[in-house]
Amino acid sequence: MKKKAFKLPFFQKGEAGNINFAKKNISSHFFLLAYIFFLLVFFTVLIARLFQLTIVKGYYYRLLSEKNRTRELIIEAKRGKIKDRKGITLAYNLPADIRKNEERIKSARIYLDPYVTASIIGYRQIADKNDLKNDVCLAAKLTLGDKVGKKGVEKLFDCQLRGKNGKKLIEVDASGKFLKELAVIPPIEGETIQLSVDYMLQKKAHELLKDKKGAIIALKPSTAEVLILASSPSFSSQDFEDGNFSSIQKYLTDKNQPLFNRTTEGVYPPGSIFKLAVALAALQEKAIDEKTLFEDTGVLQAGSLKFGNWYFLQYGKTDGTVDVIKAIKRSNDIFFYKTGAAAGVEKINHWAKLLGLGEKTGIGLPENEGLLPSPFWKKTVLKEDWYLGDTYNFSIGQGYLLVTPLQVAQLTNIFANGGYLCQPQLLKIKEKNKGTTYCQKLPILPKNLLLIKEGMKQACSSGGTGWPLFNFGVGGESTASASFKKIQTACKTGTAESQSKDHLPHAWITVFAPYENPEIVLTVLVENAGQGSDVAGPIAKEILKAYFERKE
C-alpha cells in the first residue's frame, strides 16, 4: 500500500495591521531616543546646577559654610573709670571673661556707692533705636546690644567713657558646640575721667539729707569746680545697670521723685537769698548807697495790702534804723521792700540776669532756667497788671520768682571770688589747665561787692540770722578750747513760702568760708522744712566742719 506524502499546514500572508516588524522597530527607537534625550537634559541641568554651586556661587557657599563652622563673639569693652577729685574710684568695670563662649561676653559695671553718687553719675541702659541712629561718638560706634549713658556723667561723657568692643572667633560643630578658639581681638578700655566732686563730702551731704527732700551744692570759688552735687531722695545707679526692673518701676512711680535732680532741675522761690541780688542792683544803679537808711516800721502798706517784716510778725519787734549791711545781716524785709521799689523791677531783673539767675548755668546736666518775672511777663502770661505789691514780694524773693539750688550756689560764688560769674565744672581742673577758667568778670564796683560781703559776714555773726554758724570753727569741743580754730563764714539765710499753703516753707542757707580767703561755697535747700536758719543752717555747719576738719 502506498503511503501519502506529509504536508505542512497552509499559512495565509498577513495583511496590514497584523504582525508588522518594521513599525515595531520604529516605535522602539523613538522611546529609546526620548529616554536618552531626557537623560541628557537631566544631566545637563545637574551639571549646570553643580557649576553654579561650585563655580558661580562657590565662594558664597564656602563663606556660608565657613560661617556655619565659625562664630564671631562680641567681647564687651571695659567702660572708663570715673574717679573723684582725690582719686577714689566711683565707677569701674570688671573685665569680660574671654574664656566664655557666649554671643556677647559681658563686662559688668560696678558703682562704689550708687545712692550717694547717682545725682552726679547717673546711669546706663541698653541703647534703643534712636541711640543707634543718632550716635555721635566717632571712635567707638554703638552696636546692637550696647549700653549707653542715659543720665548724668554717664551720658555727658559717654563718648570718652565708651570703650571699643573686641571680638572672639571660635569653631563649632554642626550642632553649634564649641570646638576650639581661632582668634581673639582684645577690647579697648574707655578713658578714665576724674570728677571735681569730693566723694567724702558728697557722702556726708547725702547722710544729712536722709529722709528729706532737698539739695546740697558746694563749689570751689576760684574755679567753680563742683565739690558736692547731692539730691534727695536718691536712687541706685546699680539698679539701672543690672536691669533691676522692680526697683526701677518703684523709682518711676514714687511720689517723692527720686529720679528728679533737685540740684539743677528743681525750681523754688529763693526767699531772702534773693536780697543779695536786690541789694547789688540798687547799689549799682545808685538807688541806694552805703549811707541810705530806712526805718523799720514793722509793717508797710501797699494799697489795701499789708507787708510785714519777719521779725515784727514773729516777735512783735523792729530793727530800728537800717542800712544795707544791717539789712543783709538781719534780713530786714522793710528795707528791701523800699529798696526794691526804689531800684525798680527792670533794673533788678537786669542785674539778677547778670548774676546768673533766669539762665542755665551750663553745667552740662539737664537744667531748669527758673523764672525772673516782670510786668511784661505777667501781662503776657497771666493777663494781669503788675502792682506795687508784686514788686514788694519780688524784692524779698517771693511771688513768681523761681531759681534752682545750683543758680543760688553760682550767685553766692560771685561774692566769694571777687565778682566773677563762673560756669560750674564737673571735671577736676588739672594743674596744667589752672590758668584756664570758665569765669567772666562782672562790672561790679568793688565797694558794692564789699558792702554785700560785709552784710553776709555779719549775718553769720552774733546778732545775724545765721545763728548755727556763729563762732564757727574746728579743732576743739568749744570756743574756749586751746586747740579751737575759729573760721569766719559769710552767709545768707532764706525761708521761702512754697506754692502750697498746706506745707511748711522751704529752708535755705548759702555760705562761703573762710571769709578772707574763700575755699568753699555751700548752698543747702530743704523742701517744706521750716526756717532756713533752723533747718538748713545746721546741715551747712556739719558739712563745713567735715571739710575743714579733714583739711586740718
Side-chain angles (χ1 to χ4, degrees), residues 201-202 204-205 208-209 215-221 225 227-230 273 405-406 408-413 416 456 460 469 472 489-493 508-513 518-525 536-548:
L201 292 179
Q202 178 78 12
K204 184 70 174 179
L208 292 168
L209 280 177
I216 299 177
I217 299 103
L219 303 176
K220 187 175 180 182
E225 291 170 87
L227 303 177
I228 300 172
L229 196 74
I273 301 284
L406 183 59
V408 171
Q410 187 184 47
L411 165 71
T412 309
N413 202 52
M456 294 178 71
C460 274
L469 295 174
F472 173 75
T489 61
C491 70
K492 186 71 194 76
T493 58
W508 286 95
I509 191 169
T510 192
V511 55
F512 65 84
E519 297 177 20
I520 184 172
V521 164
L522 180 64
T523 298
V524 178
L525 162 76
I539 293 175
K541 181 179 180 179
E542 289 302 311
I543 294 174
L544 290 174
K545 188 177 179 183
Y547 174 84
F548 286 107

Side-chain angles (χ1 to χ4, degrees), residues 75-78 139-141 161-166 186-190:
I75 305 173
E76 286 188 350
K78 289 174 67 178
K141 302 296 289 184
L161 290 166
R162 192 189 302 175
K164 191 171 183 179
N165 290 339
I188 300 172
E189 186 173 353

Side-chain angles (χ1 to χ4, degrees), residues 254-324:
D254 190 335
K255 64 179 181 180
N256 291 320
Q257 299 177 286
L259 297 176
F260 181 62
N261 193 337
R262 287 166 166 80
T263 62
T264 60
E265 297 174 274
V267 288
Y268 312 87
S272 294
I273 301 284
F274 188 62
K275 292 173 181 175
L276 301 175
V278 175
L280 182 65
L283 288 166
Q284 289 290 128
E285 297 295 334
K286 296 183 171 53
I288 62 168
D289 59 26
E290 68 276 14
K291 297 178 181 178
T292 300
L293 299 173
F294 290 125
E295 184 69 25
D296 177 10
T297 56
V299 177
L300 204 62
Q301 192 88 20
S304 61
L305 300 176
K306 292 183 178 181
F307 295 83
N309 179 41
W310 69 270
Y311 192 44
F312 181 80
L313 296 177
Q314 289 186 35
Y315 303 103
K317 299 179 180 180
T318 63
D319 286 324
T321 303
V322 182
D323 63 8
V324 66

Side-chain angles (χ1 to χ4, degrees), residues 146-341:
D146 284 346
K147 286 186 176 180
V148 65
K150 288 285 190 178
K151 195 176 179 71
V153 164
E154 289 283 26
K155 180 178 181 180
L156 184 60
F157 300 105
D158 186 56
C159 291
Q160 294 94 316
L161 290 166
R162 192 189 302 175
K164 191 171 183 179
N165 290 339
K167 296 178 181 179
K168 180 179 180 181
L169 193 66
I170 63 171
E171 183 178 345
V172 296
D173 60 17
S175 63
K177 186 178 179 181
F178 171 79
L179 293 177
K180 63 179 179 180
E181 181 183 293
L182 299 176
V184 173
I185 300 175
I188 300 172
E189 186 173 353
E191 294 179 29
T192 294
I193 65 170
Q194 188 167 23
L195 301 180
S196 59
V197 173
D198 187 317
Y199 166 67
M200 297 306 293
L201 292 179
Q202 178 78 12
K203 187 177 178 68
K204 184 70 174 179
H206 187 77
E207 290 171 354
L208 292 168
L209 280 177
K210 187 178 180 181
D211 300 326
K212 300 178 181 71
K213 291 190 289 185
I216 299 177
I217 299 103
L219 303 176
K220 187 175 180 182
S222 59
T223 60
E225 291 170 87
V226 176
L227 303 177
I228 300 172
L229 196 74
S231 177
S232 178
S234 186
F235 64 93
S236 170
S237 301
Q238 201 69 55
D239 284 335
F240 285 89
E241 183 67 27
D242 299 343
N244 189 337
F245 298 111
S246 60
S247 293
I248 293 171
Q249 188 60 33
K250 287 179 181 178
Y251 297 144
L252 293 171
T253 57
D254 190 335
K255 64 179 181 180
N256 291 320
Q257 299 177 286
L259 297 176
F260 181 62
N261 193 337
R262 287 166 166 80
T263 62
T264 60
E265 297 174 274
V267 288
Y268 312 87
S272 294
I273 301 284
F274 188 62
K275 292 173 181 175
L276 301 175
V278 175
L280 182 65
L283 288 166
Q284 289 290 128
E285 297 295 334
K286 296 183 171 53
I288 62 168
D289 59 26
E290 68 276 14
K291 297 178 181 178
T292 300
L293 299 173
F294 290 125
E295 184 69 25
D296 177 10
T297 56
V299 177
L300 204 62
Q301 192 88 20
S304 61
L305 300 176
K306 292 183 178 181
F307 295 83
N309 179 41
W310 69 270
Y311 192 44
F312 181 80
L313 296 177
Q314 289 186 35
Y315 303 103
K317 299 179 180 180
T318 63
D319 286 324
T321 303
V322 182
D323 63 8
V324 66
I325 292 176
K326 186 176 180 180
I328 294 172
K329 172 184 179 178
R330 296 290 301 152
S331 196
N332 187 276
D333 295 322
I334 300 297
F335 182 94
F336 282 100
Y337 292 147
K338 294 181 177 180
T339 296

